[in-house]
Amino acid sequence: MWAGANESAARLAAQLGKIAIAGSDSHAIAGLGHTYTEVPGARTVDEFFAGLRTGCGRIHGTHGSCRKLTADVFSIVRSLFWDKPWTLALSPFALLVPAFTAGHWMNEIRFCRKWTAAIERGEKSKRMLWDLDSNFGANWAN
């Protein structure tokens, strides 16, 4: 994830009194385990979760980047070419991967900034679909 998104999530968690946890958002094996949550002294799963509940969790690792995401997608594409040789015919399209991942990365940043600002302003969101009233104006949370 983008560092700004992680920082925003940490602020929101603190504001709402939630515990902080971390994990890798990797799309390929090479990125797994680079970001994790530690509870010092925990020896069992129960001790780990008890430590999280008491706020003893410590976040370690690195933030994501567009470069890492692009490398993960290329890793997936390479595996596809290896496992399904007929897909090599589509290999020219692999040149578009950096453009697509850059577009996706920019959209993630835009999304994060938009919703962080809305939450920090205290804006209310629409209710869930199953809560909708047939009167359109009644569908906005108060």
Side-chain angles (χ1 to χ4, degrees):
M1 291 296 289
W2 172 55
N6 290 333
E7 292 159 8
S8 176
R11 283 193 313 275
L12 180 61
Q15 180 183 8
L16 297 175
K18 302 294 181 182
I19 60 173
I21 59 171
S24 64
D25 186 26
S26 183
H27 296 83
I29 292 174
L32 293 177
H34 290 264
T35 305
Y36 58 94
T37 304
E38 172 192 28
V39 175
R43 296 167 302 204
T44 66
V45 172
D46 289 336
E47 288 178 1
F48 179 81
F49 283 112
L52 285 180
R53 285 186 203 97
T54 59
C56 294
R58 302 290 174 256
I59 295 172
H60 300 282
T62 59
H63 298 287
S65 69
C66 187
R67 183 194 57 76
K68 289 178 186 177
L69 177 61
T70 302
D72 283 356
V73 173
F74 273 128
S75 174
I76 294 166
V77 169
R78 184 176 55 249
S79 294
L80 179 65
F81 291 161
W82 182 261
D83 292 341
K84 309 271 188 218
W86 66 267
T87 61
L88 284 168
L90 303 173
S91 61
F93 291 111
L95 297 174
L96 299 174
V97 167
F100 281 108
T101 56
H104 173 73
W105 191 257
M106 296 307 294
N107 191 51
E108 288 287 325
I109 292 170
R110 182 200 57 79
F111 178 88
C112 178
R113 287 181 175 158
K114 173 185 175 181
W115 288 106
T116 296
I119 289 168
E120 289 175 352
R121 285 191 306 267
E123 291 180 12
K124 302 290 183 177
S125 62
K126 287 190 268 185
R127 297 180 194 169
M128 298 303 218
L129 181 60
W130 47 85
D131 292 332
L132 292 180
D133 188 316
S134 59
N135 176 3
F136 181 78
N139 295 324
W140 295 89
N142 297 328

